[in-house]
Amino acid sequence: MKDILTQKLSYLNQTVLECVGISDEKVIVKKFVEATNKILEADYGYSWFREASDPDFRWLYKSKSTPYTPQQPRKNGVMAKTFNSKQPILIGDVFRAGFVRDDARENMKSVTVIPVTYKKNNYGTLVICYLLKKKFTDNDKNLARFIGNSAAQAITISRLYRSIQESKKNLEKRVKERTAELHTANQELEQDRAEDEAILTSIGDGIIAVDKNFNIILANPQAELIFQQSAGQLKGKNIFDVGKLFYENGTEVSQTERPTFLALQNGRRVESDKNKPVYFKKNDGTNVPIALTATPIILNGETVGAVQVTRDITQDREMDKAKSELISLVSHELRTPLSGINWYVEALVKEEIGKLKPEQKKYLNEVQRANHKLIDLVYDFLNVSRIELGTFNIKLSNVNIKEITEEILEELKPNIKNKKLKISKHIPLHLPQFRIDRKVIRLVLQNIITNSVKYTPSRGKISISLKLKKTSSSQNILYITVADNGAGIPKTEQGNIFTKLYRATNVKILDPNGTGLGLYIVKSFVELSGGKIWFKSREHKGTTFYIALPIEIKKETIKI
Amino acid sequence: MTPNKLKILIIEDEKSLLTVLADKFRREGFFVWEAQDGEEGLDCALKNKPLLIILDIVMTSMDGLTMLKKLREDKWGNHIPVLILSNLSDPQQLEEANGRGVIGYMIKSNWGLDDVVTKVKETLGLAKKA
């Protein structure tokens, strides 16, 4: 007896082992049905499985010798009972038991229903049938339970195996996908790098990248050309040792003034000052004018280096000069015929050539007025062109500001007289001699005073004051204040008065001929000179303009 | 030639401007020589020795500043008052002219004929300064 049982158990173990590595559950079930038939010496068997979430059993396998087609088990049939109780049910005489279905009863005399279950896992049942009646013992029941457990273990292993296989497959799939992604990214990166390199090599400006210690990490061919060293030589060197830069007067540009230093220190883009050209001295002694732009390299909020773009502006400067000369020429050419008209009409209007009829005089006055407007426009055109082409150059010279003020007032004399305006001047008796750009100071004073004269009604007051203020040992500021009690600027329009071509609504009525360029030019000139302009104004009360201009003071004092 | 008239020389290459200026000064009682470029002007000046010269800058044959330089090399020409009347507003030209001792630099389009006459009369002591 014991030997047979041992044989049976070893056969069962064998079956479990055979199932390892099989992922198809049906194959495992088939093996177990056949093995159980053998072990329990049954005539045929079949198996139903059920998922915990599913109320219905699903058909898995029946042995070939099964004489009929088993029907879907009933909700409270033997199968369901076995499944729910996880206990084998052994029926020695199905006829007497009464709860086996008729179709089954005709094809079997006794039956063992084995739950395929192990620990938490409950998979279904094995139904093992006999054509004869049987007398089952407790041993049969234990064996049945054991077979069920073994089958369940095999299924569990199989499912585990399957899920491992699947994860492996998924993993492989994901690895493949990621590899493909990586490949694409690499390709893009390489393409980008090739493009970057193409741009870097073909670009007309010298590009040098430095780390945060100002050591060069990259240089393009144009940088090699400008600084006359190969990229290999440049790499690793401190940028300040490679390209020493000088101002026009020969003094060296200190490290702390250089855009690359400032960009790294302040973490923002810095450009070299267009009005203060810098030069790089080549090996052959020639000076190359250059413009520098430095941009910080910021990684995760930290400045880790900077890129210095160096541009050889030799050609730009020649172009600027040519443009500037052209504008100067054009404005000269335009002014000559305008002066002709002006003078001929003047002689006519003053009846120096002959008496005029009142109508003729009126018409000629209109010609003269239009001509003056054209002359003004040519001036404005010249100035706007200078501002917009950037060909405006500050040229300091000794300037007698009192004389300039008098000159301007002299030009405006007819208007001042007509309107009986009261002009008061507050100019210090002793002004140190100072240097300032003549055209800037003249244009500023002329525009601001002319506006006051134009927009102040009869018997109005205009006050002009000049003041010098020392801000530091080398820095001095000239303050110009021009105040009037004229038309004023409407509050809503005060933000626009420095805008090009803008004219306030009230002044358009007072003087329909203005161009709207005057204050735009004044502001640009003042700011290009490093100065500031602002104003206070109330409509119908008056306007005060304040201008602050940096000046250079000479040591000796002169009396003006 | 009327001996009691004040004699001036106007050098201006734009014929219409030259005419209107010369006519104006003549109406004001001046005797006027006219020249249309620097070379002609220099010859005329050295030959006739006017009391004052009105000089344009941009001219085709010998520009005003070159003419002025040559004039200043002459013993007589060194002291003669010169009034620049130009449409160039380039401060560099202005500085150069100032360096050669001019009595004034007037931008043509900024001034009327009467203003030019006034300036000349002031220089020659015929009118009080404003």
Side-chain angles (χ1 to χ4, degrees), chain B residues 103-120:
Chain B
I103 56 159
Y105 191 114
M106 296 176 95
I107 309 281
K108 288 176 203 164
S109 58
N110 287 7
W111 303 94
L113 288 172
D114 274 341
D115 300 317
V116 182
V117 171
T118 307
K119 181 82 184 173
V120 168

Side-chain angles (χ1 to χ4, degrees), chain A residues 328 331-333 335-336 338-344 346-347 350 352-353 372 375 379 382 386 395-397 407 410-411 413 438-439 442 446, chain B residues 12 14-17 19-21 24 27-28 56 58 85-92 94-95 107-116 130:
Chain A
S328 174
S331 61
H332 174 259
E333 292 299 313
R335 274 188 220 164
T336 300
L338 290 171
S339 309
I341 297 169
N342 196 25
W343 290 348
Y344 280 97
E346 183 189 338
K350 287 180 177 161
E352 291 176 15
I353 313 302
H372 277 145
I375 291 169
Y379 268 91
L382 177 64
R386 277 181 185 148
K395 226 174 142 105
L396 301 181
S397 64
E407 257 176 49
E410 184 62 31
E411 286 168 33
K413 213 172 172 181
R438 192 184 171 83
K439 66 178 177 296
R442 195 174 204 292
Q446 190 182 32
Chain B
E12 164 65 64
E14 184 69 34
K15 181 75 179 127
S16 67
L17 295 187
T19 306
V20 74
L21 269 171
K24 173 72 183 176
R27 285 197 298 275
E28 294 286 334
D56 186 18
V58 183
L85 192 56
S86 168
N87 261 331
L88 278 187
S89 52
D90 186 347
Q92 208 175 326
L94 183 90
E95 222 168 277
I107 309 281
K108 288 176 203 164
S109 58
N110 287 7
W111 303 94
L113 288 172
D114 274 341
D115 300 317
V116 182

Side-chain angles (χ1 to χ4, degrees), chain A residues 314-331:
Chain A
T314 311
Q315 277 189 339
D316 297 31
R317 297 183 96 202
E318 279 164 8
M319 280 283 275
D320 281 355
K321 207 176 153 227
K323 277 182 203 160
S324 183
E325 277 167 3
L326 180 73
I327 289 162
S328 174
L329 186 75
V330 167
S331 61

